[in-house]
Amino acid sequence: MAAAPKRPFRWHIGVFLAPAVLVYTAIMILPLAGTLQLSLFRNIDQSQVFVGLANFRTLFGDPNWSVGFWNALRNNVWFFIIHMLVQNPIGVLLAALLSSPRLRFSAFYRTAIFVPTILSFVIVGFAWKLILSPLWGVAPNLMDLVGLKSLFTPWLGKEQFALTTLSLISVWQFVGIPMMLIYAALLSIPDEVIEAAECDGITGMSQFWKIKLPLILPSIGIISILTFVGNFNAFDLIYTAQGALAGPNYSTDILGTFLYRAFFGFQLQIGDPNMGAAIATMMFLIILGGVCVYLFLVQTRLRRYQF
């Protein structure tokens, strides 16, 4: 009986994957491993000493660290909730409107809505800080034109409004991303499905809610997890608009700015790389936990809607 021929080793696959693997390892895996290692050490007498989970016990047990950490985590959760409740539904609505074949100049609208996404955080932060300034901003005058000047208040200067205001600014900047992703998902729906729905008398908004929305649920799920990861990695907009202290009175402090002050120090606060690494590790675990929940509990249930 002749032996089965051996399958040739596909060495070219490794050659093509090697550059990407090396780059990803150099800029992602090695820094992540270094951060996890640094969180388990502490600088004692000018030398790094292994202390196990002592830095995490300090982070959760020492009021000098725990108060700031839980405040930043609460703010980060609210920052994420605003994006989930405002950005993504608006993105879905805009995509549904722009996908209508009867809408004229849809390409112009898509471009105009997506343009803020490519702007720098620095430009967006400083621009909106100037717009909302009670001294030289244009917001009071614009609201006066429509008779709403009495509602104006220095939103970035009040603790109860600052974080929500920055969240809405971030929504304005990035609503184009879910819009374009959902728009692409709507265009990928087979024409046969739409024609069958129209034959059954399902048209207009009823067609969107009953036919299109269930088919794009997997895309909405992907957008949701991308929003979660992006919001818990946020830093630039808060730092640009409110500074490293995330004022007023740390009301806009999120995990990213809290990590920055802990690791590098700021003003009278001395930087502690080990505690900063512990905070970064907690951010990694929070994001990893959210992604795992999505992959194993949500994505598996959304597969039934794929076509």
Side-chain angles (χ1 to χ4, degrees):
M1 184 176 179
K6 294 183 179 180
R7 298 182 61 183
F9 179 73
R10 300 180 179 179
W11 56 268
H12 60 281
I13 297 179
V15 172
F16 286 117
L17 290 178
V21 172
L22 291 176
V23 171
Y24 187 81
T25 301
I27 67 176
M28 294 294 294
I29 302 299
L30 293 180
L32 176 61
T35 300
L36 297 177
Q37 179 184 7
L38 191 62
S39 67
L40 302 177
F41 287 78
R42 182 173 293 174
N43 191 353
I44 300 176
D45 296 331
Q46 304 301 319
S47 62
Q48 291 290 318
V49 179
F50 180 78
V51 294
L53 300 178
N55 290 329
F56 296 95
R57 288 194 292 268
T58 301
L59 181 62
F60 295 117
D62 187 346
N64 293 325
W65 291 96
S66 62
V67 172
F69 175 79
W70 292 115
N71 174 65
L73 181 59
R74 284 193 300 269
N75 291 339
N76 229 144
V77 171
W78 179 245
F79 193 76
F80 166 68
I81 290 175
I82 292 293
H83 282 76
M84 283 295 296
L85 297 182
V86 179
Q87 175 183 279
N88 293 347
I90 291 179
V92 174
L93 177 61
L94 291 174
L97 294 175
L98 294 176
S99 63
S100 174
R102 294 187 296 271
L103 180 65
R104 301 178 62 186
F105 308 113
S106 60
F108 170 78
Y109 298 139
R110 291 197 306 270
T111 304
I113 296 172
F114 191 78
V115 162
T117 303
I118 65 177
L119 295 178
S120 167
F121 284 102
V122 177
I123 295 175
V124 172
F126 277 111
W128 277 100
K129 195 171 183 179
L130 291 174
I131 291 172
L132 298 177
S133 172
L135 298 178
W136 50 76
V138 298
N141 296 328
L142 293 178
M143 296 183 68
D144 190 26
L145 293 176
V146 294
L148 298 177
K149 189 175 181 179
S150 59
L151 300 178
F152 177 80
T153 186
W155 290 296
L156 291 178
K158 292 190 175 182
E159 296 182 24
Q160 63 269 36
F161 300 128
L163 182 61
T164 302
T165 301
L166 288 172
S167 301
L168 294 176
I169 292 174
S170 179
V171 166
W172 168 83
Q173 182 179 10
F174 290 109
V175 72
I177 293 179
M179 178 199 70
M180 294 302 292
L181 292 175
I182 295 299
Y183 178 78
L186 290 172
L187 293 183
S188 66
I189 297 176
D191 293 336
E192 295 80 3
V193 175
I194 305 301
E195 293 172 359
E198 292 176 348
C199 291
D200 291 336
I202 304 176
T203 58
M205 291 303 297
S206 178
Q207 182 184 99
F208 175 79
W209 288 108
K210 296 180 179 180
I211 305 299
K212 295 182 178 180
L213 184 61
L215 293 177
I216 63 173
L217 281 180
S219 297
I220 295 177
I222 293 295
I223 292 170
S224 299
I225 197 62
L226 291 177
T227 302
F228 174 80
V229 174
N231 289 166
F232 276 87
N233 277 321
F235 167 77
D236 311 70
L237 181 62
I238 306 295
Y239 182 82
T240 301
Q242 303 295 85
L245 293 178
N249 194 26
Y250 302 105
S251 60
T252 59
D253 196 20
I254 58 176
L255 292 175
T257 51
F258 183 62
L259 164 63
Y260 175 85
R261 295 195 308 274
F263 197 101
F264 298 103
F266 188 77
Q267 294 182 352
L268 298 179
Q269 180 178 347
I270 299 176
D272 188 339
N274 300 108
M275 288 302 299
I279 298 170
T281 301
M282 290 306 305
M283 293 174 63
F284 168 73
L285 294 177
I286 291 171
I287 295 173
L288 179 64
V291 172
C292 289
V293 168
Y294 168 78
L295 291 178
F296 295 107
L297 296 182
V298 179
Q299 184 65 18
T300 53
R301 298 184 179 183
L302 291 179
R303 287 176 184 171
R304 73 185 65 174
Y305 296 107
Q306 293 179 341
F307 50 85

mmCIF file of all heavy atoms in Angstrom, residues 5-23:
data_model
loop_
_atom_site.group_PDB
_atom_site.id
_atom_site.type_symbol
_atom_site.label_atom_id
_atom_site.label_comp_id
_atom_site.label_asym_id
_atom_site.label_seq_id
_atom_site.Cartn_x
_atom_site.Cartn_y
_atom_site.Cartn_z
ATOM 1 N N PRO A 5 1.066 10.897 -0.071
ATOM 2 C CA PRO A 5 2.088 11.923 -0.302
ATOM 3 C C PRO A 5 2.043 13.002 0.783
ATOM 4 O O PRO A 5 0.972 13.386 1.269
ATOM 5 C CB PRO A 5 1.700 12.495 -1.669
ATOM 6 C CG PRO A 5 0.242 12.208 -1.805
ATOM 7 C CD PRO A 5 0.020 10.895 -1.099
ATOM 8 N N LYS A 6 3.214 13.443 1.163
ATOM 9 C CA LYS A 6 3.299 14.475 2.187
ATOM 10 C C LYS A 6 2.889 15.829 1.606
ATOM 11 O O LYS A 6 3.244 16.172 0.485
ATOM 12 C CB LYS A 6 4.725 14.569 2.729
ATOM 13 C CG LYS A 6 5.172 13.328 3.491
ATOM 14 C CD LYS A 6 6.568 13.548 4.063
ATOM 15 C CE LYS A 6 7.015 12.322 4.858
ATOM 16 N NZ LYS A 6 8.379 12.523 5.421
ATOM 17 N N ARG A 7 2.134 16.547 2.420
ATOM 18 C CA ARG A 7 1.731 17.877 1.993
ATOM 19 C C ARG A 7 2.929 18.815 2.081
ATOM 20 O O ARG A 7 3.665 18.824 3.086
ATOM 21 C CB ARG A 7 0.595 18.400 2.879
ATOM 22 C CG ARG A 7 -0.666 17.555 2.801
ATOM 23 C CD ARG A 7 -1.763 18.144 3.659
ATOM 24 N NE ARG A 7 -2.113 19.489 3.221
ATOM 25 C CZ ARG A 7 -3.016 20.251 3.843
ATOM 26 N NH1 ARG A 7 -3.633 19.779 4.930
ATOM 27 N NH2 ARG A 7 -3.289 21.443 3.400
ATOM 28 N N PRO A 8 3.164 19.596 1.078
ATOM 29 C CA PRO A 8 4.321 20.501 1.113
ATOM 30 C C PRO A 8 4.159 21.555 2.203
ATOM 31 O O PRO A 8 3.052 22.024 2.495
ATOM 32 C CB PRO A 8 4.313 21.134 -0.284
ATOM 33 C CG PRO A 8 2.889 21.045 -0.734
ATOM 34 C CD PRO A 8 2.368 19.747 -0.150
ATOM 35 N N PHE A 9 5.284 21.882 2.822
ATOM 36 C CA PHE A 9 5.269 22.911 3.866
ATOM 37 C C PHE A 9 5.131 24.288 3.222
ATOM 38 O O PHE A 9 5.924 24.669 2.364
ATOM 39 C CB PHE A 9 6.557 22.857 4.692
ATOM 40 C CG PHE A 9 6.615 23.914 5.764
ATOM 41 C CD1 PHE A 9 5.833 23.811 6.899
ATOM 42 C CD2 PHE A 9 7.448 25.020 5.616
ATOM 43 C CE1 PHE A 9 5.883 24.778 7.881
ATOM 44 C CE2 PHE A 9 7.497 26.000 6.594
ATOM 45 C CZ PHE A 9 6.723 25.876 7.737
ATOM 46 N N ARG A 10 4.126 25.014 3.602
ATOM 47 C CA ARG A 10 3.853 26.321 3.012
ATOM 48 C C ARG A 10 4.672 27.393 3.736
ATOM 49 O O ARG A 10 4.169 28.177 4.537
ATOM 50 C CB ARG A 10 2.362 26.624 3.082
ATOM 51 C CG ARG A 10 1.511 25.604 2.328
ATOM 52 C CD ARG A 10 0.031 25.921 2.424
ATOM 53 N NE ARG A 10 -0.774 24.963 1.689
ATOM 54 C CZ ARG A 10 -2.104 24.987 1.619
ATOM 55 N NH1 ARG A 10 -2.772 25.934 2.257
ATOM 56 N NH2 ARG A 10 -2.771 24.071 0.930
ATOM 57 N N TRP A 11 5.954 27.431 3.432
ATOM 58 C CA TRP A 11 6.865 28.364 4.084
ATOM 59 C C TRP A 11 6.566 29.816 3.726
ATOM 60 O O TRP A 11 6.880 30.733 4.495
ATOM 61 C CB TRP A 11 8.300 28.028 3.697
ATOM 62 C CG TRP A 11 8.532 28.010 2.209
ATOM 63 C CD1 TRP A 11 8.442 26.938 1.371
ATOM 64 C CD2 TRP A 11 8.865 29.138 1.395
ATOM 65 N NE1 TRP A 11 8.682 27.317 0.072
ATOM 66 C CE2 TRP A 11 8.956 28.665 0.058
ATOM 67 C CE3 TRP A 11 9.098 30.490 1.642
ATOM 68 C CZ2 TRP A 11 9.263 29.502 -1.006
ATOM 69 C CZ3 TRP A 11 9.407 31.328 0.579
ATOM 70 C CH2 TRP A 11 9.493 30.832 -0.731
ATOM 71 N N HIS A 12 5.930 30.022 2.564
ATOM 72 C CA HIS A 12 5.661 31.402 2.150
ATOM 73 C C HIS A 12 4.676 32.100 3.080
ATOM 74 O O HIS A 12 4.683 33.336 3.197
ATOM 75 C CB HIS A 12 5.136 31.435 0.718
ATOM 76 C CG HIS A 12 3.858 30.671 0.531
ATOM 77 N ND1 HIS A 12 3.823 29.289 0.411
ATOM 78 C CD2 HIS A 12 2.574 31.096 0.474
ATOM 79 C CE1 HIS A 12 2.565 28.907 0.255
ATOM 80 N NE2 HIS A 12 1.792 29.981 0.286
ATOM 81 N N ILE A 13 3.809 31.306 3.767
ATOM 82 C CA ILE A 13 2.868 31.917 4.711
ATOM 83 C C ILE A 13 3.625 32.587 5.854
ATOM 84 O O ILE A 13 3.337 33.721 6.249
ATOM 85 C CB ILE A 13 1.879 30.863 5.239
ATOM 86 C CG1 ILE A 13 1.035 30.301 4.094
ATOM 87 C CG2 ILE A 13 0.993 31.467 6.323
ATOM 88 C CD1 ILE A 13 0.058 29.230 4.530
ATOM 89 N N GLY A 14 4.628 31.871 6.385
ATOM 90 C CA GLY A 14 5.438 32.443 7.454
ATOM 91 C C GLY A 14 6.215 33.668 7.006
ATOM 92 O O GLY A 14 6.374 34.632 7.773
ATOM 93 N N VAL A 15 6.683 33.657 5.769
ATOM 94 C CA VAL A 15 7.436 34.803 5.250
ATOM 95 C C VAL A 15 6.547 36.038 5.178
ATOM 96 O O VAL A 15 6.952 37.149 5.554
ATOM 97 C CB VAL A 15 8.026 34.471 3.864
ATOM 98 C CG1 VAL A 15 8.641 35.723 3.236
ATOM 99 C CG2 VAL A 15 9.062 33.362 3.983
ATOM 100 N N PHE A 16 5.308 35.864 4.703
ATOM 101 C CA PHE A 16 4.417 37.010 4.582
ATOM 102 C C PHE A 16 3.918 37.494 5.947
ATOM 103 O O PHE A 16 3.669 38.692 6.125
ATOM 104 C CB PHE A 16 3.218 36.655 3.696
ATOM 105 C CG PHE A 16 3.556 36.581 2.235
ATOM 106 C CD1 PHE A 16 3.431 35.397 1.532
ATOM 107 C CD2 PHE A 16 4.023 37.699 1.556
ATOM 108 C CE1 PHE A 16 3.752 35.318 0.182
ATOM 109 C CE2 PHE A 16 4.345 37.638 0.209
ATOM 110 C CZ PHE A 16 4.211 36.453 -0.485
ATOM 111 N N LEU A 17 3.770 36.585 6.902
ATOM 112 C CA LEU A 17 3.282 36.972 8.221
ATOM 113 C C LEU A 17 4.372 37.552 9.108
ATOM 114 O O LEU A 17 4.078 38.305 10.045
ATOM 115 C CB LEU A 17 2.641 35.771 8.923
ATOM 116 C CG LEU A 17 1.309 35.269 8.374
ATOM 117 C CD1 LEU A 17 0.848 34.049 9.151
ATOM 118 C CD2 LEU A 17 0.256 36.367 8.461
ATOM 119 N N ALA A 18 5.617 37.204 8.841
ATOM 120 C CA ALA A 18 6.709 37.589 9.732
ATOM 121 C C ALA A 18 6.803 39.103 9.953
ATOM 122 O O ALA A 18 6.926 39.544 11.107
ATOM 123 C CB ALA A 18 8.032 37.041 9.199
ATOM 124 N N PRO A 19 6.765 39.949 8.931
ATOM 125 C CA PRO A 19 6.878 41.395 9.202
ATOM 126 C C PRO A 19 5.783 41.926 10.123
ATOM 127 O O PRO A 19 6.062 42.685 11.054
ATOM 128 C CB PRO A 19 6.783 42.023 7.800
ATOM 129 C CG PRO A 19 7.223 40.940 6.872
ATOM 130 C CD PRO A 19 6.739 39.665 7.479
ATOM 131 N N ALA A 20 4.552 41.506 9.864
ATOM 132 C CA ALA A 20 3.454 41.979 10.709
ATOM 133 C C ALA A 20 3.600 41.472 12.143
ATOM 134 O O ALA A 20 3.371 42.218 13.102
ATOM 135 C CB ALA A 20 2.111 41.538 10.124
ATOM 136 N N VAL A 21 3.997 40.211 12.305
ATOM 137 C CA VAL A 21 4.169 39.643 13.639
ATOM 138 C C VAL A 21 5.288 40.354 14.383
ATOM 139 O O VAL A 21 5.168 40.672 15.578
ATOM 140 C CB VAL A 21 4.452 38.129 13.543
ATOM 141 C CG1 VAL A 21 4.827 37.573 14.915
ATOM 142 C CG2 VAL A 21 3.231 37.399 13.001
ATOM 143 N N LEU A 22 6.384 40.631 13.705
ATOM 144 C CA LEU A 22 7.512 41.312 14.348
ATOM 145 C C LEU A 22 7.139 42.729 14.766
ATOM 146 O O LEU A 22 7.453 43.159 15.895
ATOM 147 C CB LEU A 22 8.712 41.334 13.399
ATOM 148 C CG LEU A 22 9.375 39.980 13.120
ATOM 149 C CD1 LEU A 22 10.484 40.128 12.081
ATOM 150 C CD2 LEU A 22 9.922 39.373 14.408
ATOM 151 N N VAL A 23 6.474 43.460 13.886
ATOM 152 C CA VAL A 23 6.078 44.825 14.220
ATOM 153 C C VAL A 23 5.077 44.828 15.368
ATOM 154 O O VAL A 23 5.204 45.625 16.324
ATOM 155 C CB VAL A 23 5.493 45.532 12.979
ATOM 156 C CG1 VAL A 23 4.884 46.872 13.363
ATOM 157 C CG2 VAL A 23 6.563 45.729 11.917
#
